[in-house]
Amino acid sequence: MKHSSKLILTKKYVRYAVEIFFFTIICWLLILKLPAQAGPFAQIKPQYVEELTKILSIQIPGWQRDGDPTGLTMKDEDKIQTLAKVKFHSGGQLIKYFEIKIEDNGEKGSEQMEQIAEAKCTKKYMTKTQFMGFPALQLAPPEDSQFSQYGVVSSLFINVADKYLVTVNGNEFVDLDTLKAVANHFDLKKLAALN
């Protein structure tokens, strides 16, 4: 009888041990499938990055592109942010450059535009406008203003499909008219279609 009881208990422990073993294996497999986290803005599988960088793969007469467009998607808790950008330059005695940047951070474009428009330091140099049929803000601080000393330069902000914030800005040698001219080579309607 004792031998029979010991045998039953042994089988019971073996069964528990097997169940625990398989449960542990399943847990490890699930953990390995989770994306690695390297801090609050750990890089995760890109969302729209390929599409955004493809849209930025443009050529602009008189300007040289500094390599291919770059982009990444970041996650902060439940919020996903996607950023893509490309830079151009033009030679000569004074080196001119500008950058086109697309941001999709999960907020409405109109809300982001409102925050930009209300920035105290640049508010009086900001003008609401339309660019290629989309709401836009243009920043044009005077050349002799104190802002040029702190790197505040002419910029164009465009709200595309109330989702994407497109920013076009350059260095102190690139004025607002030049930014508008180069931005005309950018297909905003194609960007809006990704919405």
Side-chain angles (χ1 to χ4, degrees):
M1 187 74 178
K2 283 184 179 180
H3 180 71
S4 177
S5 298
K6 284 182 179 179
L7 189 61
I8 291 169
L9 285 172
T10 303
K11 285 182 179 179
K12 194 175 181 181
Y13 289 139
V14 169
R15 193 182 75 219
Y16 287 154
V18 170
E19 287 176 359
I20 290 168
F21 173 76
F22 281 111
F23 177 75
T24 306
I25 293 295
I26 290 167
C27 287
W28 274 109
L29 288 172
L30 289 172
I31 289 168
L32 290 172
K33 284 184 178 180
L34 292 173
Q37 296 293 318
F41 281 92
Q43 190 170 346
I44 62 169
K45 187 177 180 181
Q47 176 181 341
Y48 291 129
V49 164
E50 288 183 9
E51 290 89 344
L52 296 184
T53 52
K54 204 177 291 182
I55 287 174
L56 289 175
S57 296
I58 56 176
Q59 299 296 332
I60 300 177
W63 294 85
Q64 186 175 341
R65 196 173 71 201
D66 294 353
D68 294 328
T70 58
L72 76 160
T73 298
M74 300 176 289
K75 184 177 181 181
D76 178 16
E77 296 179 353
D78 295 330
K79 188 176 180 181
I80 294 177
Q81 303 179 20
T82 306
L83 169 69
K85 59 184 180 179
V86 65
K87 195 172 180 179
F88 291 82
H89 74 272
S90 176
Q93 289 184 343
L94 298 176
I95 299 296
K96 299 179 179 181
Y97 69 82
F98 72 91
E99 182 180 70
I100 302 176
K101 184 168 62 176
I102 308 172
E103 294 175 82
D104 175 10
N105 62 10
E107 295 179 9
K108 286 189 174 182
S110 53
E111 293 174 356
Q112 296 177 70
M113 296 283 274
E114 191 174 326
Q115 291 172 11
I116 294 168
E118 292 303 313
K120 288 183 180 179
C121 61
T122 55
K123 188 174 180 178
K124 66 178 180 179
Y125 301 118
M126 196 79 72
T127 309
K128 290 184 179 181
T129 184
Q130 289 276 318
F131 187 80
M132 294 171 68
F134 295 97
L137 290 169
Q138 55 187 36
L139 171 63
E143 290 182 13
D144 59 347
S145 74
Q146 60 178 349
F147 293 106
S148 59
Q149 302 172 26
Y150 302 106
V152 178
V153 292
S154 297
S155 303
L156 183 64
F157 306 93
I158 311 163
N159 173 17
V160 179
D162 207 22
K163 177 178 174 66
Y164 304 104
L165 176 63
V166 177
T167 305
V168 187
N169 56 26
N171 62 2
E172 63 270 29
F173 306 122
V174 180
D175 59 20
L176 188 59
D177 289 337
T178 303
L179 291 180
K180 289 180 178 180
V182 297
N184 270 308
H185 293 271
F186 182 53
D187 195 342
L188 294 176
K189 289 182 179 178
K190 189 174 180 181
L191 176 62
L194 292 177
N195 193 19

